[in-house]
Amino acid sequence: MDVTRKDVIHFIAGGIAGTAGAAATCPLEVVKTRIQSSTAPFGLHIVPKDVPPFRVVPNGIMPHVGISTWTSPASVTEAVRPTVGMWHCICRIKETEGYRGLFKGLGPNLMGIIPAKAIYFFTYAKMKKLLNEVMNPDTPLVHICSSFVGGFTVTTLTSPIWLVKTRLQLDQKREGKLTMQKCVRRVYQQHGLSGFYKGVTASYIGISETVIQFVFYEEIKSRLQFSNHDRMDEDLHTLISIGIAGSLSKAIATCIAYPHEVVRTRLREEGTKYKSLAQTFLLILQEEGKSGLYRGLTTQLVRQLPNSAIIMVTYESVVKVMELVS
């Protein structure tokens, strides 16, 4: 596969776009991961059936309110997971871990997102070009195949980085917090190289989200773009079309394929409770019901809409600028 100057442009543009999106929405990424997990303070708690939960306070025992560690005098018979709002989670992280807590995992996130987006857009553009030469050009089938190849390549190459990022985002300590080096060492000591690929099966299933997104993105973008005699107005409308197409396509894809994200986060947690893709999926259903598979969806949508718009507008803009100056 020959690499052309245009391929390099797509590679660089993808890296820049991924960096912009990740840096702008990192706090919401941390919040989403915490809500998805079972290890955060507002995770799954065992409580007595038909008895209101209580928490220990300095002056005795009072009904539990908000999010805190609590106990109950009655026997344990039922498991529940409190519903936690996005803003409540942000405030708690800021209170217990400081503002830096909202940017945990940003280092590996950028380390992963830059090559991930660069590799994805490069592979997607290359496959799209190749398939357009042997198939009906720019059809949904071309976009599906291109997205799948791009997603599979990126997932295989970058999965260890995402595992480290998730572990760092789930770390709730202000002092003596988990560092990237400590995390890598701990995972390797406990599980060897295979430990860095926990949750990769869920990630492969998650390729369907990327495929759905790019099929809808290409379709929405083509419908929204139109010709205009004023070049400046045409460029502005093109950017707006790209932003809308990026946001809408990601929202649709996220809603359809979201459960794999919750399963993947649980598999990447420390501990042995979640062992495999099917076991984790069924365990979440058993303990939390269907709603458990959609924990953090609102936060994900709030994060993904601007993130996708930023990524797609940045990507298309960088490609256009680099093609003009080359």
Side-chain angles (χ1 to χ4, degrees):
M1 189 185 293
D2 296 329
V3 178
T4 65
R5 183 178 181 83
K6 192 168 184 179
D7 295 328
V8 175
I9 288 174
H10 284 289
F11 185 88
I12 295 172
I16 294 173
T19 302
T25 60
C26 182
L28 290 174
E29 169 74 12
V30 175
V31 170
K32 179 210 71 171
T33 303
R34 295 283 179 93
I35 294 176
Q36 286 177 342
S37 77
S38 66
T39 59
F42 35 82
L44 185 67
H45 294 299
I46 306 299
V47 299
K49 192 174 183 179
D50 301 325
V51 178
F54 290 84
R55 65 174 173 141
V56 177
V57 295
N59 297 322
I61 296 179
M62 63 177 289
H64 169 63
V65 246
I67 307 168
S68 64
T69 303
W70 52 268
T71 59
S72 172
S75 58
V76 172
T77 57
E78 186 176 329
V80 297
R81 186 182 292 276
T83 301
V84 180
M86 178 175 59
W87 181 247
H88 200 160
C89 182
I90 291 173
C91 292
R92 181 172 180 83
I93 292 173
K94 187 181 70 171
E95 176 188 348
T96 59
E97 303 166 48
Y99 283 103
R100 288 188 177 184
L102 292 168
F103 289 89
K104 284 185 174 179
L106 179 59
N109 204 1
L110 292 179
M111 284 177 58
I113 205 72
I114 294 172
K117 290 301 180 185
I119 292 167
Y120 180 83
F121 280 108
F122 168 80
T123 309
Y124 178 81
K126 194 67 177 175
M127 283 302 302
K128 184 178 170 183
K129 180 183 175 184
L130 290 174
L131 292 174
N132 277 338
E133 294 173 356
V134 298
M135 300 169 66
N136 268 342
D138 291 321
T139 59
L141 182 58
V142 169
H143 300 151
I144 288 171
C145 293
S146 302
S147 296
F148 179 82
V149 173
F152 185 85
T153 303
V154 167
T155 297
T156 303
L157 294 177
T158 62
S159 185
I161 300 174
W162 304 134
L163 179 129
V164 172
K165 181 211 73 171
T166 300
R167 292 283 178 93
L168 291 175
Q169 289 179 339
L170 292 177
D171 178 54
Q172 298 154 44
K173 297 186 291 294
R174 183 196 289 259
E175 303 297 334
K177 63 182 181 181
L178 187 65
T179 64
M180 191 160 38
Q181 292 80 2
K182 288 180 183 176
C183 182
V184 171
R185 195 181 309 119
R186 183 183 299 177
V187 172
Y188 183 74
Q189 289 174 346
Q190 292 178 347
H191 307 287
L193 289 176
S194 63
F196 292 99
Y197 282 88
K198 290 187 71 176
V200 71
T201 48
S203 293
Y204 283 137
I205 291 176
I207 294 172
S208 62
E209 180 179 331
T210 306
V211 172
I212 294 167
Q213 177 193 357
F214 269 77
V215 170
F216 276 99
Y217 171 74
E218 297 282 3
E219 180 66 22
I220 295 170
K221 186 177 72 169
S222 66
R223 289 178 180 271
L224 289 175
Q225 287 181 345
F226 57 88
S227 299
N228 193 299
H229 295 295
D230 188 324
R231 181 57 184 270
M232 186 175 294
D233 285 348
E234 184 180 349
D235 289 344
L236 177 61
H237 283 302
T238 299
L239 285 177
I240 292 173
S241 299
I242 291 168
I244 293 173
S247 297
L248 283 180
S249 60
K250 188 62 177 180
I252 294 169
T254 297
C255 289
I256 293 173
Y258 186 75
H260 89 274
E261 287 220 17
V262 178
V263 172
R264 184 177 61 196
T265 296
R266 301 292 176 89
L267 285 169
R268 287 174 175 169
E269 291 176 2
E270 289 194 72
T272 57
K273 180 177 180 180
Y274 302 107
K275 297 178 173 61
S276 67
L277 179 72
Q279 181 262 351
T280 301
F281 183 86
L282 293 174
L283 187 58
I284 294 172
L285 272 180
Q286 179 185 347
E287 292 186 341
E288 306 164 46
K290 292 179 182 178
S291 62
L293 294 168
Y294 290 88
R295 290 184 60 79
L297 176 59
T298 302
T299 305
Q300 176 72 332
L301 289 174
V302 171
R303 185 188 79 88
Q304 284 288 19
L305 296 185
N307 184 66
S308 297
I310 290 168
I311 287 175
M312 298 314 299
V313 169
T314 303
Y315 169 73
E316 301 274 11
S317 299
V318 172
V319 168
K320 190 168 187 178
V321 169
M322 292 185 73
E323 286 179 341
L324 288 174
V325 299
S326 62

